[in-house]
Amino acid sequence: MPSSQTLIRGGLVLIDNARFAEASLLIADGQITAVIDGAGPDGLPVIDARDRIIIPGLVNGHTHSHGALGRGGVAPDATLETFLTGASALNGQRTTDDLRLSAELSAAEMIRKGCTACFDLSVELPGPTVAGIHAVARAYHDAGMRAVVAPMISDRTIFQALPGLLDAFDPPMRAALSAITLLPWQDTLATVHRALESWPVPATRVRPGIGPAIPLHCSNDFLTACAALADALDLPLQTHLAETRMQQVAAQSRYGTTLTAHLDVLGLLSPRFSGAHGVWLSRDEAARLAGQGAGIVHNPLSNLRLGSGTAPARALLDAGVVMGVGTDASNTSDGQNMFEAMRLAATLSRAQAAPSDQWITVPEAFHMATEGSARIMGLPRTGRIAAGWTADLLFLDRDYCHYVPLRDTLSQIVLAENGGALREVMIDGQIVMQDNRILTLDEARLATRARAAAARLDTANMQARIKAEAAATITRSFCHAACTAHHH
Ligand SMILES: [Zn+2]
């Protein structure tokens, strides 16, 4: 017999991600051990859920914990490329405590909005440290969340990544920007390897991954070394793939082919591989991804916010690509609401000028935001309610306006829910949010620490920000001209 069992009594339960039924759930050792018709046995500790709708926790297939402390710091007119130009001004000068604080803020926001697991590409500047990577892992562990913590790494700045960009600057600025270099990839990867070997928390709930940031920002040797490490240690690997048109234009210039074809030739594509965004993917690229069992994480809000475009989600699904949904970071998406991301995954497809039978359906959007993202994270048996699956559960208030009256429960969740009806969150069998309070984090203290850290970092990064703003103006016109020339 399992050591301690809990009975979740009653509730309108989404069983097998297929149908809703009045049911009870037996939970033990972080797992759902039985789905029971009716009220269930007596004599066990009970969570009364008769006025709840119970669904699996939403799985965020792509985010960045460092973004939480950068909230509000991304210009309203930023594109991805101008954002990257200033990324060091937003993420620079951070201590190990800052990295942990940002991850705690990020975890608190995700839990509040119904996310129980996330794929975090977290960055540390000028390069990763063992302490920094471990600080992020500990933050998720202590918050009670499930996560893949993948250090986001590169060996080229944006000025080295985009062919021709440096030439757009006047000589003094070109000289200054050329002088910015990242660590040799061998050093970076050695640090990551050390951090993984000494992983500070049980890897059952918070496990490592690897995040070569953007193919153009990584040399080919670096990319293949990342893939080799992922293979050797069985890690999920994620990169930003074809997020913007500029990236595909630069790929043609640098590689003479598409981003995905280039990665395919390098041997990066595999079931361990996922690309975030995938906005500018061709049919050939979709076929390559599908053929290797690789995944794409759809980040609709981030793509709208940065004007990157709209990912061809239907074409990717039809090609057989494993699809997840993500929020991207609290800086570039202004928040991490997985309900919102899932809803946009469904509704945005309706604006892509396809006939209505080509739209992303409600069950498809829900699947992408649960099992799809979980598969991309390499999480076994996560993202549905069934015996033997992880006890990561959301409890929605059946009396909340979104569900009154209740006719089509899954549609009303996917197309209306924003977290307003969320009452309790369970992760790994533990209640982590209840009575509008996160039990694993001191949110008031987090807020105090976050305000102080942001004030200190903004002062420390002020000169860098002024320089980044000047560089962003040139970068913006360079990218616009490059994409326009390519188009013609
Ligand atoms: Zn991202």
Side-chain angles (χ1 to χ4, degrees):
M1 282 291 285
S3 49
S4 66
Q5 296 190 98
T6 302
L7 181 72
I8 299 172
R9 176 163 281 162
L12 186 57
V13 180
L14 177 56
I15 298 170
D16 275 326
N17 281 353
R19 65 192 172 87
F20 280 92
E22 300 288 344
S24 297
L25 301 173
L26 210 51
I27 308 292
D29 299 325
Q31 282 199 341
I32 301 161
T33 52
V35 180
I36 302 163
D37 229 15
D42 290 322
L44 292 172
V46 167
I47 295 171
D48 185 350
R50 284 170 297 181
D51 55 358
R52 298 287 188 255
I53 298 167
I54 305 177
I55 61 172
L58 301 180
V59 182
N60 190 349
H62 177 70
T63 190
H64 305 278
S65 58
H66 55 265
L69 207 44
R71 190 189 289 278
V74 177
D77 64 348
T79 64
L80 176 74
E81 282 79 19
T82 66
F83 163 71
L84 291 173
T85 304
S88 61
L90 196 57
N91 300 319
Q93 312 286 343
R94 292 194 184 182
T95 64
T96 304
D97 281 348
D98 293 331
L99 300 173
R100 178 177 171 122
L101 169 62
S102 199
E104 288 173 343
L105 285 170
S106 206
E109 178 176 28
M110 283 189 270
I111 290 169
R112 280 207 167 273
K113 296 173 183 176
C115 170
T116 52
C118 74
F119 199 138
D120 177 12
L121 268 64
S122 64
V123 82
E124 182 174 3
L125 298 175
T129 63
V130 172
I133 296 166
H134 287 185
V136 174
R138 284 200 185 93
Y140 285 114
H141 176 79
D142 294 349
M145 258 190 90
R146 200 177 297 284
V148 168
V149 174
M152 185 166 76
I153 47 183
S154 43
D155 63 346
R156 288 189 191 130
T157 67
I158 186 168
F159 306 105
Q160 296 162 331
L162 299 182
L165 175 56
L166 273 175
D167 300 333
F169 290 90
D170 61 27
M173 198 138 170
R174 189 183 311 150
L177 295 173
S178 307
I180 307 168
T181 52
L182 300 178
L183 288 177
W185 65 262
Q186 292 90 341
D187 297 354
T188 298
L189 216 51
T191 302
V192 170
H193 200 172
R194 279 206 307 283
L196 304 192
E197 281 178 335
S198 53
W199 199 244
V201 296
T204 42
R205 188 154 52 72
V206 179
R207 57 178 301 217
I210 188 155
I214 300 172
L216 291 157
H217 293 233
C218 301
S219 58
N220 291 343
D221 287 347
F222 187 16
L223 288 169
T224 50
C226 286
L229 186 63
D231 284 346
L233 302 181
D234 192 19
L235 308 174
L237 179 152
Q238 189 171 91
T239 189
H240 293 81
L241 186 63
E243 180 171 352
T244 61
R245 184 129 195 276
M246 183 66 237
Q247 292 179 354
Q248 285 291 25
V249 169
Q252 287 298 336
S253 163
R254 182 179 285 279
Y255 308 132
T257 184
T258 61
L259 289 158
T260 312
H262 179 67
L263 295 181
D264 197 6
V265 169
L266 290 181
L268 257 83
L269 306 186
S270 78
R272 264 188 276 282
F273 175 93
S274 58
H277 304 283
V279 175
W280 295 90
L281 292 174
S282 65
R283 276 186 195 284
D284 169 73
E285 292 179 279
R288 286 174 188 269
L289 291 163
Q292 303 282 357
I296 289 290
V297 182
H298 188 17
N299 292 271
L301 186 62
S302 164
N303 298 151
L304 291 172
R305 164 64 150 95
L306 297 173
S308 304
T310 306
R314 167 55 60 203
L316 292 166
L317 276 177
D318 285 356
V321 177
V322 178
M323 291 289 288
V325 172
T327 61
D328 218 348
S330 301
N331 51 8
T332 53
S333 294
D334 309 286
Q336 299 175 94
N337 188 330
M338 271 302 293
F339 284 111
E340 193 175 49
M342 173 169 68
R343 181 187 194 182
L344 268 175
T347 53
L348 201 54
S349 69
R350 287 146 167 77
Q352 288 178 299
S356 58
D357 62 357
Q358 295 291 300
W359 292 350
I360 301 298
T361 66
V362 160
E364 282 172 333
F366 193 81
H367 183 270
M368 284 161 62
T370 50
E371 289 181 74
S373 291
R375 152 71 181 75
I376 281 169
M377 288 173 64
L379 303 178
R381 293 181 160 261
T382 299
R384 73 159 75 181
I385 297 174
W389 286 57
T390 54
D392 294 2
L393 303 169
L394 307 184
F395 299 74
L396 303 168
D397 181 354
R398 267 206 235 202
D399 295 329
Y400 195 69
C401 50
H402 296 160
Y403 308 110
V404 180
L406 191 62
R407 290 197 172 89
D408 181 344
T409 313
L410 194 62
S411 290
Q412 287 173 251
I413 290 168
V414 170
L415 299 176
E417 189 53 61
N418 54 12
L422 186 64
R423 295 294 172 266
E424 294 89 19
V425 176
M426 174 180 276
I427 306 174
D428 205 29
Q430 303 296 318
I431 293 283
V432 297
M433 190 184 93
Q434 148 180 82
D435 300 328
N436 200 30
R437 209 166 68 81
I438 296 179
L439 307 181
T440 49
L441 290 163
D442 182 341
E443 287 181 283
R445 196 165 158 266
L446 266 184
T448 305
R449 289 164 60 209
R451 289 185 196 106
R456 169 173 48 79
L457 292 168
D458 285 352
T459 303
N461 286 315
M462 195 181 303
Q463 287 307 317
R465 195 166 59 251
I466 291 164
K467 286 184 190 142
E469 279 164 13
T473 305
I474 309 282
T475 302
R476 182 187 310 277
S477 49
F478 168 83
C479 292
H480 181 71
C483 290
T484 307
H486 188 79
H487 190 67
H488 293 305

